[in-house]
Amino acid sequence: MTTASDFPSPLLPARRRRHARLIAALTTLIGACAEAAGEVYGPIAAATPDQEGVEVEALSCIRVAMSAPSLLDLARSEDATRWPDAVVREVAASRRTYAARVALADAHDAHDAAHRTASGPGRGPVPPSAAASGAWMELVSAGDEVAACWRDDPQQAAVLVRELTVGGELVVDEVLDAAVDAMVVCGLLALAEARTMARVDPSAAAELCLTATPYLTLAVTLASADLD
């Protein structure tokens, strides 16, 4: 059954619509991972019990590993093209939160520098480049934390997102998108390892393809999650 929230105004797409092409690509990739593993396990299952060796191919594991990054990049690009107003709004929000995180880091540095001056010699303030790098890492860390929590307790993860965004240095969609990225990276790393193993141990490659699927599935969940 559809509801009014499934069809928001073009300026305010639900996350499942904003990331529809990415979600579709992820589900396609999940299916491809299962099929690739099946092409390895199928001949083993079909072999007679007295057959000593079974010849298997892991070419599908290689193909899915090689195609996955470009498939997901294309999907992200298509989503951006479909929702240009949302992209503009997201970029503006990202600039604000990034600036807020850098400002917070600078304020902490100033406080620490004043404390060091009062208590004795010490290191000077952190250079701006370090503060900027820390601002980006804070977002990445927040995404990792939310993704890890979501696996065990989605409700608690939603609470965590609220806690992370209450100060204004992060926004909800930004944190959820960082969590999506974290899970996509984990899935792609598993597939990259599967590609490496495919020529030496097809069974291990198949297992790694299957190992990627929980990460990709969680990425779908996070890309679809609406907390507003």
Side-chain angles (χ1 to χ4, degrees):
M1 182 179 72
T2 58
T3 65
S5 63
D6 291 327
F7 301 96
S9 72
L11 295 178
L12 295 172
R15 283 180 56 80
R16 73 177 71 86
R17 298 194 69 199
R18 166 66 182 88
H19 300 298
R21 295 293 174 87
L22 176 61
I23 291 168
L26 285 167
T27 56
T28 296
L29 187 53
I30 291 166
C33 287
E35 289 181 7
E39 289 190 15
V40 174
Y41 293 129
I44 299 173
T48 60
D50 59 348
Q51 186 173 342
E52 292 185 0
V54 180
E55 185 175 347
V56 297
E57 288 283 354
L59 289 178
S60 291
C61 294
I62 297 174
R63 291 193 192 100
V64 71
M66 292 180 64
S67 65
S70 58
L71 174 68
L72 298 181
D73 283 344
L74 177 61
R76 289 181 186 276
S77 176
E78 290 174 344
D79 277 329
T81 300
R82 281 158 53 90
W83 300 102
D85 292 337
V87 172
V88 170
R89 189 169 60 250
E90 289 162 4
V91 170
S94 178
R95 287 174 177 166
R96 287 195 303 272
T97 58
Y98 172 74
R101 294 195 300 277
V102 171
L104 184 62
D106 287 341
H108 286 164
D109 290 342
H111 176 271
D112 292 344
H115 178 72
R116 286 193 296 268
T117 301
S119 60
R123 294 188 307 157
V126 177
S129 58
S133 177
W136 284 116
M137 288 305 299
E138 185 178 346
L139 175 58
V140 172
S141 177
D144 290 345
E145 187 177 359
V146 168
C149 184
W150 205 288
R151 283 196 297 264
D152 299 325
D153 190 340
Q155 290 185 339
Q156 182 57 41
V159 172
L160 175 59
V161 172
R162 297 299 187 191
E163 292 174 349
L164 289 169
T165 57
V166 69
E169 291 85 20
L170 294 165
V171 295
V172 170
D173 282 346
E174 190 175 38
V175 173
L176 291 174
D177 288 347
V180 171
D181 290 343
M183 292 299 93
V184 167
V185 167
C186 288
L188 292 180
L189 288 174
L191 290 177
E193 190 175 355
R195 179 183 176 185
T196 300
M197 293 296 297
R199 298 190 185 281
V200 296
D201 190 341
S203 294
E207 290 167 9
L208 285 163
C209 282
L210 295 178
T211 297
T213 60
Y215 296 116
L216 302 176
T217 300
L218 184 52
V220 170
T221 300
L222 291 162
S224 304
D226 265 313
L227 303 186
D228 295 330

